[in-house]
Amino acid sequence: MKRTLPMVLVAVFVLGAIPLWITGFSRGKGAFDQYYFHLPAVERFAASWPRVDVRDYESATTPGYHVLLAQCARLGVSEPIALQVIASVFTIGLVWVFGRVLADRAKRAGIGAIQAAGLGLALVCSPYVFLPGVWLQPDNAAWLGVLGMMLIASRLAREPQTDRAAGWVLLGGVVLVLLVLTRQRHAWTAGLVWGGAWLGAAARSDGVLDPWRRSRAEAIGRAASAVIASVPALVVVALFVRTWGGFTPPMFQKQISGGINWATPAFCLSLIGVYAVFLWAWVWPAVAAWWREAKLGVVVVGLAAAVVSVLPVTTYLYEPRATGLWNVVRALEGLGLTLGGRTTPLFVALAPVGAIAVCALVRRGRGMGRWIAPMAIAGMVVAQTVNPLCWQRYVEPLFLMALAMMCLDAQSVEDERGAPLGRWLPAARVLGAGGLALVMAALSAQALVQGESLRWERPGAGETTADRPEGERP
C-alpha cells in the first residue's frame, strides 16, 4: 500500500493534466495567473540573470519558485508548456508524499487502502491543487513545504531522545528557509516545529502539558533549539519585508492591504464543517464517543463556534470575502437568507460542525503526534486572519491534508466491532470521501469549462507591467 496508494494519486493528477498540456488549453484561473503573473516573473528573472531584482515583480509571493524556473528557462527550456511540465514536479511530489502519509497512517489504524484513497483523491481533485499543478503557480511547491514541516513536527513529537531530535530540528530549519523563499506567509509553520519539539519531551505520555509537568527543563531546551533553528528563515522574511516595504512586492500592496479579516475563523470552521459532512463516517465514531463521555464539552465547543460565526460580518463582499464557499453565501443572500443583514446562517450552521469534528478527532487520536494537525489548522487560521483576503485557495489544501491525517489517527478496530452501524463504516468511508473527491473534481471541471478564455500575446516592445491586470485573482 505504501507504493500503490501514492502511485494511484499521482496517476490521477497526471492523467488529468496531460490532455490540458497537449491541447494547450488556456482558459480559467490557472492560465490567467500563469500568463499575467508567474510566467512574466520567470521571464523577467531569466532575462536579467544574474542581476535578479526582487524589489518588485509579478507575484505576491517570495521569488524562490520563479528563480528556479528562470534557471530552467536559461538552460533552454523556455516554452510555457515545457515549464509547466517541469513545474508539475512539485505537485507530483506533494501528491506522492501525501499518499505515503495516508498509507502509513492507514496501516497503523488497520484501515484498507481503498478507504484511505478517497481522502487522498479529495486533495488531488481540489481546484486549488489541480489547477496550480497544471499551470505555473507556486502554490503546490509551498504546500509541499508545509506538509514537510508537519511531518517533521510529528516526528519530533514522537521522539523522546533529545540527541536524535536535534537532527529533525535542524532539518526543520532548512525546510522552513526553502518554504519562506517560496511563500512568505507560511512562516507560521515554524510554530509547528516549536510545538513538536516541546511535545517530544513527553513522547511516552499523552497529555499536551506533560512536558511542563514532567520534564520542564528538557521541554524548554528542545523548544528553544527549535526557535533558534527557525531564526534564519525569519530573517529571510524580514529582509524581503524590508526590501518591499511591506509583506508583498509593491505592485500587490494596494490589493493585499487593510489589516485583519475577522470573518476568516468563521469561514475556516465552516469550510471544515463542509468536509466533515462528507467524512461523517470517519468523524462520527469520535463525536459519538465524546458525546457519551462528556456531553457538556460538545455543547460548549458548538456554542463557542456559533458565537465565532455570529460576531463578525460574514456577508459576501468582493474581494475580502469571496470565492469558494463564499459563493454559496452570495447565493443565499440572493434569496434573502441573512441574519440582521450581516451574518450568513450558513456559517452559523456549519462552524459548530467543523469545530466539534476537529475537537472530537483530536480527543480520539493517539500519541503526541496527534496534536500537530490541529496545530497546523490553528496556525493557518491565525496566519490568514491577518490577511485581508479570505479566499478558499489559501486554506483548502492544508485543511484537506490535516483533516485526512486526523481522521486516520482517530480510527480503531473497535469502531467497526462494537459501535452501532459499525459494519457499515468501511463502505460509508469510501462513499463519503469518494463523494468529496467527486465534488472537488466537478469544481475543477467547472473552473475549466466556465473560465475566461485568454488570448495571450507575448509582451511587446512598449509593454510594461502596468499594461497587465493588477493583483491576484481569486
Side-chain angles (χ1 to χ4, degrees):
M1 181 164 61
K2 284 187 176 182
R3 292 185 178 181
T4 303
L5 180 54
M7 289 177 63
V8 169
L9 299 182
V10 170
V12 170
F13 166 72
V14 172
L15 291 175
I18 286 178
L20 299 174
W21 288 334
I22 292 177
T23 60
F25 191 94
S26 59
R27 172 181 290 180
K29 185 203 172 305
F32 180 94
D33 280 1
Q34 169 174 306
Y35 286 115
Y36 284 109
F37 299 109
H38 301 296
L39 181 59
V42 171
E43 293 175 336
R44 173 194 291 266
F45 293 148
S48 63
W49 189 266
R51 299 179 63 86
V52 176
D53 186 355
V54 297
R55 290 175 297 180
D56 201 12
Y57 52 92
E58 295 86 348
S59 176
T61 67
T62 38
Y65 173 87
H66 307 88
V67 170
L68 181 61
L69 291 180
Q71 289 301 298
C72 296
R74 283 180 52 79
L75 294 174
V77 187
S78 58
E79 287 300 314
I81 182 62
L83 289 173
Q84 288 172 239
V85 174
I86 291 174
S88 70
V89 170
F90 293 110
T91 303
I92 291 172
L94 170 67
V95 172
W96 178 272
V97 173
F98 185 59
R100 289 294 300 265
V101 170
L102 294 181
D104 289 341
R105 280 172 160 76
K107 183 177 181 180
R108 290 201 300 266
I111 299 295
I114 296 178
Q115 297 178 53
L119 298 172
L121 288 172
L123 179 74
V124 177
C125 296
S126 166
Y128 305 113
V129 171
F130 180 74
L131 299 184
V134 175
W135 284 278
L136 297 181
Q137 294 178 9
D139 301 47
N140 291 343
W143 290 124
L144 177 58
V146 171
L147 179 58
M149 292 295 287
M150 292 176 65
L151 297 180
I152 291 169
S154 296
R155 186 65 180 84
L156 277 169
R158 300 192 307 271
E159 181 53 75
Q161 298 186 31
T162 301
D163 55 343
R164 293 183 181 179
W168 290 103
V169 167
L170 181 60
L171 179 60
V174 173
V175 173
L176 184 61
V177 169
L178 297 175
L179 177 54
V180 299
L181 283 171
T182 305
R183 194 154 206 156
Q184 67 276 25
R185 285 192 178 274
H186 287 320
W188 64 269
T189 58
L192 297 180
V193 177
W194 302 349
W198 167 276
L199 293 170
R204 296 176 182 174
S205 61
D206 206 38
V208 69
L209 295 180
D210 282 352
W212 181 259
R213 292 195 293 262
R214 300 183 182 182
S215 51
R216 182 182 308 177
E218 182 182 357
I220 293 175
R222 287 172 58 128
S225 68
V227 171
I228 293 172
S230 65
V231 168
L234 300 180
V235 170
V236 168
V237 174
L239 290 175
F240 276 106
V241 170
R242 181 180 178 183
T243 300
W244 296 332
F247 286 95
T248 65
M251 70 174 67
F252 294 89
Q253 289 178 12
K254 181 179 179 181
Q255 181 191 27
I256 307 179
S257 63
I260 296 176
N261 192 328
W262 294 109
T264 297
F267 172 82
C268 291
L269 288 175
S270 300
L271 189 60
I272 293 173
V274 173
Y275 305 146
V277 170
F278 282 94
L279 304 179
W280 71 270
W282 296 90
V283 176
W284 177 79
V287 174
W290 190 14
W291 180 257
R292 289 195 302 270
E293 299 164 11
K295 294 181 176 63
L296 181 60
V298 179
V299 173
V300 169
V301 169
L303 289 176
V307 171
V308 168
S309 68
V310 169
L311 290 179
V313 177
T314 54
T315 50
Y316 180 91
L317 178 64
Y318 187 85
E319 291 179 322
R321 301 188 293 274
T323 78
L325 193 59
W326 289 112
N327 292 329
V328 180
V329 172
R330 179 172 58 175
L332 292 177
E333 289 178 15
L335 298 175
L337 297 177
T338 60
L339 302 176
R342 65 186 305 276
T343 301
T344 175
L346 182 68
F347 288 5
V348 178
L350 287 176
V353 175
I356 291 172
V358 169
C359 292
L361 290 173
V362 174
R363 188 176 180 276
R364 185 77 165 179
R366 298 172 294 277
M368 302 302 284
R370 77 182 191 274
W371 292 102
I372 301 302
M375 284 171 57
I377 291 175
M380 187 81 258
V381 171
V382 172
Q384 287 307 128
T385 298
V386 298
N387 182 348
L389 304 179
C390 181
W391 293 352
Q392 190 162 323
R393 62 179 286 193
Y394 291 148
V395 297
E396 178 164 284
L398 172 71
F399 289 171
L400 290 174
M401 290 189 291
L403 199 59
M405 295 179 193
M406 294 171 67
C407 284
L408 288 170
D409 286 343
Q411 303 308 309
S412 66
V413 292
E414 288 77 12
D415 293 336
E416 299 176 18
R417 291 176 180 172
L421 302 179
R423 63 176 180 173
W424 300 105
L425 285 180
R429 290 171 185 152
V430 174
L431 292 175
L436 180 59
L438 287 175
V439 169
M440 293 295 180
L443 292 173
S444 293
Q446 180 186 37
L448 295 173
V449 173
Q450 296 183 355
E452 178 184 357
S453 182
L454 303 179
R455 295 181 178 87
W456 173 255
E457 296 179 359
R458 293 283 181 173
E463 184 183 10
T464 66
T465 55
D467 298 315
R468 302 191 182 102
E470 280 193 21
E472 289 187 287
R473 192 178 188 183

